Amino acid sequence: MTISLTLSNVTKHYGKNIVAVDDFSQAFAPGSYVCLLGPSGCGKTTTLRMIAGHESVSKGSIQIDGKDIASLAPAKRGTAMMFQNYALFPHLTVEENTAFSLKMRGLPKAERIKRANELLSLVDMTPYAKRFPEQLSGGQQQRVALARALISMPSVLLLDEPLSALDPFLRVRMRSELSKLQKELGITFVHVTHSQEEALALADHVVLMNNAVIEQAGAPEEIFNRPKTEFVARFMGGHNIIEMHGERFALRTDHTRLCRTNALLQACVGFVEYLGAKVEITVTNPDQADITLSISDKEFRQQPLAAGDAIGVTWAHQDLHKLE
């Protein structure tokens, strides 16, 4: 399937003074996994709802395969949406929940049940077809919601914080299942999340939003390794902001090194966080903002540190990334 999704100058106003999304323009490659990322209130969910047709567009166009869908009813757009709370009908079985949209379209029962079971098989939920939502775990409910969204064979699947209700262990497992399913289906997924880790792990294309506008968009590796602004570097995490010669640079925490001689910065250990495979050490210096070093557990055990210790910090010049 080679369905493209393009948003051009999409804007959403609420009244005269509130701008929820401002001039959003992006073209997404067919069959890509897109993550709309950003803090609460940045406009990412409003953007998703405009694509779905649950919010009107104040200005701009939304095109699927070159056709402007902004004025079409949600059911006419070729999109499907999976909601954050899954929105399963408690009085319907898994099979009936999955087939519900086909029932609304008037398909014969035998046909819709056959199709529902094909989708349940796709998400490994066939053994649970006759159960009710209350008899399922959170991860199982998510799979049913996914099957129900996919049964209409949408050109674009929209996912609103689909993993936020799951516990951390299940969230990681379902993340890999979503990625695998998207690749198998070959359709465009647009996934809203506030989790940097989730976006980096899942997306082919990340759109990072802040205060209703796109702060930076591109491949996950580009967003993380080459942040354009201080906001991007700080929001994505794993970076220090270094000021040198009146300019500002981003420096990855794992590229910031401890040293005994020839230090670029003399500092004092503020606190140490043990995180299993790595240890994060925050140091202070009167001429810089706090700096964090991310080192391996092995390296830390070779040179243990505690709050108050004096330490030298260094980095390679080529690891500095200039910010706009």
Side-chain angles (χ1 to χ4, degrees):
M1 194 178 292
T2 56
I3 305 295
S4 61
L5 171 65
T6 304
L7 286 76
S8 302
N9 310 112
V10 172
T11 300
K12 177 63 181 179
H13 294 141
Y14 292 107
K16 293 182 179 180
N17 300 321
I18 300 175
V19 181
V21 177
D22 189 10
D23 201 33
F24 186 109
S25 293
Q26 286 285 293
F28 303 125
S32 58
Y33 202 123
V34 177
C35 278
L36 304 182
L37 174 66
S40 297
C42 70
K44 57 189 185 296
T45 297
T46 302
T47 301
L48 193 80
R49 290 177 60 82
M50 285 192 287
I51 299 170
H54 301 310
E55 293 279 0
S56 61
V57 174
S58 302
K59 174 188 168 186
S61 68
I62 300 173
Q63 298 184 347
I64 292 182
D65 251 17
K67 178 182 178 182
D68 193 343
I69 63 166
S71 61
L72 298 181
K76 303 289 186 181
R77 295 186 173 212
T79 64
M81 190 159 179
M82 180 177 162
F83 295 95
Q84 183 175 358
N85 63 358
Y86 310 144
L88 300 176
F89 298 111
H91 62 288
L92 298 182
T93 65
V94 164
E95 187 178 74
E96 291 166 339
N97 263 288
T98 305
F100 184 77
S101 65
L102 301 185
K103 183 178 181 180
M104 293 297 98
R105 284 161 50 185
L107 269 70
K109 183 176 181 179
E111 184 176 343
R112 63 179 187 256
I113 293 301
K114 177 178 179 291
R115 182 69 183 137
N117 279 286
E118 289 173 355
L119 267 297
L120 290 173
S121 175
L122 186 67
V123 296
D124 296 324
M125 285 297 292
T126 301
Y128 305 90
K130 303 302 181 184
R131 292 193 186 182
F132 290 90
E134 65 176 13
Q135 298 172 306
L136 304 176
S137 69
Q140 290 167 342
Q141 289 184 29
Q142 190 206 46
R143 288 194 182 101
V144 177
L146 191 56
R148 186 179 62 181
L150 290 169
I151 200 165
S152 61
M153 295 302 294
S155 301
V156 178
L157 180 65
L158 308 170
L159 304 105
D160 182 15
E161 299 270 12
L163 306 179
S164 62
L166 304 178
D167 64 68
F169 175 79
L170 188 56
R171 195 177 303 142
V172 172
R173 181 176 156 202
M174 293 305 297
R175 195 168 72 194
S176 63
E177 291 188 15
L178 271 179
S179 179
K180 179 183 175 185
L181 184 62
Q182 188 270 335
K183 288 177 172 59
E184 287 176 357
L185 294 171
I187 67 176
T188 300
F189 278 27
V190 183
H191 175 138
V192 161
T193 181
H194 62 270
S195 167
Q196 299 89 335
E197 181 180 302
E198 202 169 287
L200 292 173
L202 281 168
D204 304 310
H205 189 86
V206 175
V207 181
L208 176 54
M209 299 183 69
N210 182 36
N211 292 330
V213 301
I214 296 173
E215 192 82 15
Q216 188 171 350
E221 298 86 353
E222 178 186 352
I223 300 287
F224 186 77
N225 288 312
R226 294 183 291 282
K228 286 186 175 180
T229 65
E230 182 177 349
F231 171 82
V232 176
R234 291 196 184 280
F235 185 83
M236 294 307 297
H239 287 85
N240 292 304
I241 305 301
I242 304 291
E243 292 189 29
M244 294 177 60
H245 313 301
E247 295 183 309
R248 203 166 277 247
F249 298 87
L251 174 67
R252 281 175 46 165
T253 59
D254 58 338
H255 290 164
T256 315
R257 302 295 181 197
L258 300 171
C259 66
R260 297 185 182 278
T261 59
N262 300 320
L264 291 171
L265 193 71
Q266 293 295 333
C268 178
V269 175
F271 58 92
V272 177
E273 284 188 296
Y274 176 74
L275 301 172
K278 67 177 181 178
V279 177
E280 292 199 341
I281 302 165
T282 299
V283 302
T284 60
N285 174 282
D287 298 324
Q288 292 280 355
D290 287 358
I291 290 176
T292 299
L293 300 88
S294 182
I295 65 175
S296 70
D297 173 52
K298 180 180 178 181
E299 183 180 353
F300 181 75
R301 282 186 278 112
Q302 290 171 346
Q303 186 180 354
L305 292 168
D309 288 351
I311 193 68
V313 178
T314 191
W315 53 81
H317 180 76
Q318 64 265 26
D319 289 332
L320 292 171
H321 175 74
K322 193 172 183 302
L323 299 172
E324 292 180 358

